[in-house]
């Protein structure tokens, strides 16, 4: 731990408990002069680490839309196109097989999401994404070298697993490194990365939409994976995760770097309260009979009492007890709903993510090309589809600028209300063959979804759980999202054949019902620590 000596020089000691009381008091006074970390903004160190980790959800955005543009040249061969070595020019398949290649991505994503919590606890937030890069390397490689539809489908499934892990861990990491006042702003880097990935794949698909070049389009994810692997080492591990693993000196050092201040005691105090509440009433008699043992990383905050060697032994015993308690009462995807304090937030994040898919946003993206091609040429339609991606990025960025100014609830409800109106107009435009109304509605739906109902469920999913349940809660949240994606994708066309354009009434109804439930059940989290939010939800 680094302290400031009276002469102004920094000193590093193995154990702060070995310091003289006078030096402890001097370090405390020096720390108090520095700005509080709770009042800190987003520093360059914090932004850089967050941006590097967000290369992972960017790959998810790239893969989710990578088959949209090149569908025709993948399934149908152009005899005049150039052949590449021994690889087939195309992979002939019917609509059912291509639909499987598209939807299998969600199945892989579900598996990845359910595994992400365990990975995040086992290897840490950064470590889990390093191991997860294996899926992002193997998936694109299989698709780019595919010699059969089955090989393409397996590649999509593998990429889906990596994507499922990425969209759980990245927002969790962002919330854990972000300063309290700007947690929403930093967390929206996750959604911004996803929509940038979508825009990127739409652009690449448009440029390489010819002959065998679809292999370059689906294989470009390999370049992104290698880029991520080469830079992720420069991102720091989550200090909250390190603290939960009793690596407290390391957690404090990283927190100082992220906040660019030495005065971090108030922020760390919230983490301590969670750790001590977990072990309340379970200390053995030999520790209960003793005086309160100072935290080894906070020695300058408490006066030393008794024998110094005994204090050190007691502190080490307490760390071991905390670790044993953590292992015995660990929260997993299999038992999170058995903890009363996590049951309500667990149900809310499930509804947030499942309800997001019931808004019909993915069917809107599915409709975009067909609606635009009714009015414009194929080339113009491709450009306008890319413009939808640009609008998605701009609207998401606008949400990042205002989420910590106006709060989560106003952004969420205004977004849902605007979506209800826009989806209604889209259904009317399609039903009455009002093509221009349908086109305008497409852009309105995206513009209303992107700043609010798109990123806020991801943000709230990381704010509703403390560090002990963050991994398991995030896994369930994104699992609900994947299940909703798959169900809507499977049911939409049959329902449209049965109901016609009235199928959009289902999406509008879901928006209204979910909006009412969220209004009464979801608290405002702006400006509150994770621990304060957890108390609100009890």
């Amino acid at each position: 731990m680094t302290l400031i000596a009276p002469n102004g020089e920094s000193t590093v000691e193995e154990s702060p408990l070995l310091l003289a009381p006078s030096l402890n008091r001097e370090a405390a006074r020096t720390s108090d002069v520095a700005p509080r970390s709770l009042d800190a903004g987003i520093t360059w160190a914090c932004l850089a680490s967050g941006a590097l980790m967000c290369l992972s959800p960017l790959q998810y955005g790239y893969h989710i839309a990578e088959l949209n543009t090149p569908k025709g040249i993948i399934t149908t061969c152009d005899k005049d196109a150039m052949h590449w070595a021994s690889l087939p020019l195309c992979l002939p398949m019917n609509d059912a097989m291509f639909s499987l290649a598209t939807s299998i991505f969600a199945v892989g994503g579900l598996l990845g999401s359910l595994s992400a919590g365990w990975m995040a606890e086992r290897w840490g937030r950064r470590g889990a994404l390093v191991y997860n890069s294996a899926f992002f390397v193997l998936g694109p490689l299989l698709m780019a070298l595919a010699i059969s539809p089955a090989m393409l489908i397996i590649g999509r499934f593998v990429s889906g697993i990596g994507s499922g892990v990425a969209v759980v861990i990245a927002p969790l990491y962002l919330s854990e490194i972000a300063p309290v006042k700007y947690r929403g702003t930093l967390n929206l880097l996750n959604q911004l990365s996803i929509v940038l990935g979508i825009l990127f794949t739409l652009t690449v698909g448009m440029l390489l939409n010819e002959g065998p070049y679809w292999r370059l389009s689906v294989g470009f994810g390999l370049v992104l994976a290698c880029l991520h692997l080469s830079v992720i080492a420069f991102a720091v591990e989550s200090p909250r995760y390190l603290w939960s693993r009793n690596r407290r000196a390391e957690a404090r050092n990283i927190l100082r770097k992220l906040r660019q201040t030495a005065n971090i005691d108030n922020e760390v105090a919230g983490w301590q309260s969670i750790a001590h509440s977990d072990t309340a009433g379970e200390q053995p008699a030999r520790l209960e009979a003793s005086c309160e043992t100072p935290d080894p990383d906070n020695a300058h905050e408490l006066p030393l009492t008794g024998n110094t060697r005994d204090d050190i032994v007691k502190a080490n015993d307490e760390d071991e007890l905390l670790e044993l308690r953590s292992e015995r009462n660990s929260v997993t995807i299999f038992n999170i709903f058995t903890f009363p304090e996590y049951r309500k937030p667990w149900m809310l994040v499930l509804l947030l993510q499942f309800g997001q898919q019931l808004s019909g946003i993915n069917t809107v993206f599915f409709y975009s090309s067909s609606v635009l091609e009714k009015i414009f040429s194929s080339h113009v339609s491709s450009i306008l589809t890319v413009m939808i991606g640009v609008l998605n990025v701009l609207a998401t960025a606008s949400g990042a600028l205002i989420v910590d100014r106006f709060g989560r609830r106003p952004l969420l409800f205004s977004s849902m209300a605007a979506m209800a109106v826009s989806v209604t107009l889209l259904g009317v435009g399609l039903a009455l063959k009002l093509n221009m109304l349908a086109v305008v509605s497409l852009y309105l739906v995206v513009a209303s979804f992107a700043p609010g109902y798109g990123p806020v469920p991801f943000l709230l999913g990381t704010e509703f759980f403390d560090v002990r349940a963050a991994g398991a809660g995030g896994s369930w949240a994104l699992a609900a999202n994947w299940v909703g994606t798959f169900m809507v994708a499977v049911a939409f066309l049959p329902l449209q054949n049965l109901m016609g354009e009235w199928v959009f009434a289902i999406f509008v109804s879901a928006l209204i019902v979910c909006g009412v439930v969220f209004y009464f059940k979801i608290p405002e989290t702006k400006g509150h620590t994770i621990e304060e939010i957890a108390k609100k939800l009890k």
Side-chain angles (χ1 to χ4, degrees):
M1 175 176 164
T2 303
L3 295 176
I4 307 301
N7 61 5
E9 297 178 355
S10 62
T11 62
V12 180
E13 300 289 345
E14 291 185 359
S15 174
L17 289 172
L18 300 178
L19 294 172
S22 60
L23 184 56
N24 288 327
R25 288 191 293 270
E26 180 65 26
R29 284 194 295 269
T30 304
S31 177
D32 290 339
V33 174
R36 294 195 322 158
S37 64
L38 286 175
D39 299 325
I42 300 177
T43 64
W44 283 110
C46 186
L47 182 61
S49 284
L52 293 177
M53 295 288 275
C54 280
L55 286 174
S56 200
L58 183 142
Q59 294 175 79
Y60 157 70
Y62 187 89
H63 288 302
I64 197 173
E66 64 190 345
L67 296 186
N68 287 5
T69 303
K71 175 187 176 183
I73 59 175
I74 292 177
T75 58
T76 305
C77 291
D78 181 358
K79 295 181 180 180
D80 297 327
M82 180 181 65
H83 289 256
W84 278 13
S86 59
L87 294 175
L89 186 62
C90 65
L91 304 174
M93 63 184 95
N94 56 29
D95 287 343
M97 184 67 74
F98 190 82
S99 295
L100 176 61
T102 301
S103 59
I104 199 70
F105 183 81
V107 178
L110 174 61
L111 180 61
S113 294
L114 291 175
S115 306
W118 176 83
M119 293 174 65
E121 297 303 315
R122 175 67 177 81
W123 295 308
R125 289 28 170 167
R126 185 182 65 177
L129 289 186
V130 170
Y131 285 111
N132 186 55
S133 294
F135 297 109
F136 281 139
V137 168
L138 182 59
L141 200 59
L142 287 171
M143 288 186 287
L145 301 177
I147 58 175
S148 67
M151 193 169 173
L152 181 73
I153 291 171
I154 294 173
R156 285 281 291 172
F157 176 75
V158 172
S159 294
I161 295 175
S163 298
V165 174
V167 292
V168 171
I169 296 179
L172 170 61
Y173 174 86
L174 292 172
S175 284
E176 289 182 346
I177 70 167
V180 174
K181 292 183 178 181
Y182 298 97
R183 189 172 55 239
T185 300
L186 190 68
N187 197 278
L188 261 68
L189 277 179
N190 174 67
Q191 187 70 15
L192 186 60
S193 298
I194 293 173
V195 297
L196 280 171
I198 294 174
L199 175 60
F200 194 28
T201 193
L202 290 174
T203 304
V204 171
M206 181 182 69
L207 296 176
L208 299 177
N209 192 23
E210 182 181 356
Y213 297 117
W214 63 268
R215 294 185 181 275
L216 292 178
S217 178
V218 298
F220 196 81
L222 178 62
V223 177
L224 296 177
C226 292
L227 174 63
H228 190 213
L229 272 174
S230 65
V231 300
I232 194 172
F234 296 101
V236 299
E237 181 55 272
S238 161
R240 288 179 63 91
Y241 167 78
L242 294 173
W243 185 272
S244 72
R245 289 295 181 268
N246 294 317
R247 295 162 61 180
R248 298 184 175 180
E250 189 178 354
R252 281 177 164 273
N253 287 335
I254 289 177
L255 187 60
R256 291 188 188 99
K257 293 177 182 177
L258 291 174
R259 301 291 181 264
Q260 295 294 296
T261 179
N263 191 355
I264 60 171
D265 295 333
N266 288 332
E267 185 168 354
V268 171
W271 305 353
Q272 289 176 314
S273 65
I274 293 297
H276 288 303
S277 66
D278 286 344
T279 57
E282 297 200 9
Q283 305 289 5
R286 63 191 175 96
L287 286 178
E288 288 179 354
S290 65
C291 62
E292 182 179 356
T293 302
D295 182 351
D297 293 314
N298 289 294
H300 64 275
E301 298 170 11
L302 297 171
L304 292 175
T305 60
N307 183 270
T308 302
R309 184 178 299 276
D310 291 340
D311 285 339
I312 297 173
V313 171
K314 289 174 183 177
N316 291 335
D317 287 341
E318 186 172 88
D319 283 346
E320 292 177 4
L321 286 167
L322 287 171
E323 186 172 354
L324 290 173
R325 164 73 171 174
S326 176
E327 292 177 358
R328 186 166 61 250
N329 283 348
S330 61
V331 180
T332 69
I333 61 173
F334 303 108
N335 68 2
I336 185 173
F337 38 80
T338 65
F339 291 84
E341 64 268 34
Y342 300 133
R343 200 169 292 144
K344 181 178 178 181
W346 175 71
M347 290 188 291
L348 284 176
V349 296
L350 290 182
L351 185 57
L352 276 165
Q353 293 288 354
F354 191 74
Q356 183 196 70
Q357 294 308 307
L358 289 183
S359 70
I361 183 62
N362 283 330
T363 63
V364 169
F365 282 115
F366 170 78
Y367 248 104
S368 60
S369 296
S370 59
V371 171
L372 293 171
E373 287 177 359
K374 291 179 180 179
I375 305 175
F376 306 102
S377 66
S378 177
H379 178 68
V380 173
S381 297
S382 297
I383 296 175
L384 292 177
T385 300
V386 172
M387 294 306 298
I388 290 179
V390 174
L391 175 63
N392 200 8
V393 171
L394 294 177
T396 301
S398 70
L401 296 176
I402 63 176
V403 65
D404 281 317
R405 176 176 297 182
F406 298 105
R408 285 56 158 160
R409 282 172 58 92
L411 196 58
L412 177 64
F413 297 133
S414 60
S415 174
M416 294 179 72
M419 275 199 77
V421 174
S422 302
V423 174
T424 300
L425 291 175
L426 177 60
V428 171
L430 292 173
L432 300 180
K433 311 298 182 183
L434 302 175
N435 292 334
M436 286 306 300
L437 177 61
V439 170
V440 172
S441 299
L442 284 174
Y443 284 87
L444 289 177
V445 171
V446 173
S448 57
F449 173 83
Y453 208 15
V456 170
F458 288 93
L459 171 59
L460 293 176
T462 64
E463 294 181 323
F464 282 177
F465 300 101
D466 58 37
V467 68
R468 192 163 69 116
S475 290
W476 272 109
L478 270 298
N481 187 287
W482 289 110
V483 169
T485 299
F486 187 78
M487 288 179 60
V488 171
V490 170
F492 178 71
L493 289 179
L495 285 174
Q496 187 187 36
N497 293 333
L498 179 66
M499 303 173 59
E501 308 310 336
W502 281 100
V503 68
F504 287 94
I506 297 177
F507 301 139
V508 175
S509 300
L511 282 164
I512 294 173
V513 171
C514 289
V516 172
V517 174
F518 296 158
Y519 182 83
F520 289 104
K521 296 297 183 180
I522 291 181
E524 179 56 68
T525 60
K526 170 195 169 186
H528 295 284
T529 65
I530 303 295
E531 291 71 29
E532 291 170 346
I533 297 168
K535 291 178 181 179
K536 280 187 173 186
L537 291 170
K538 285 185 178 179

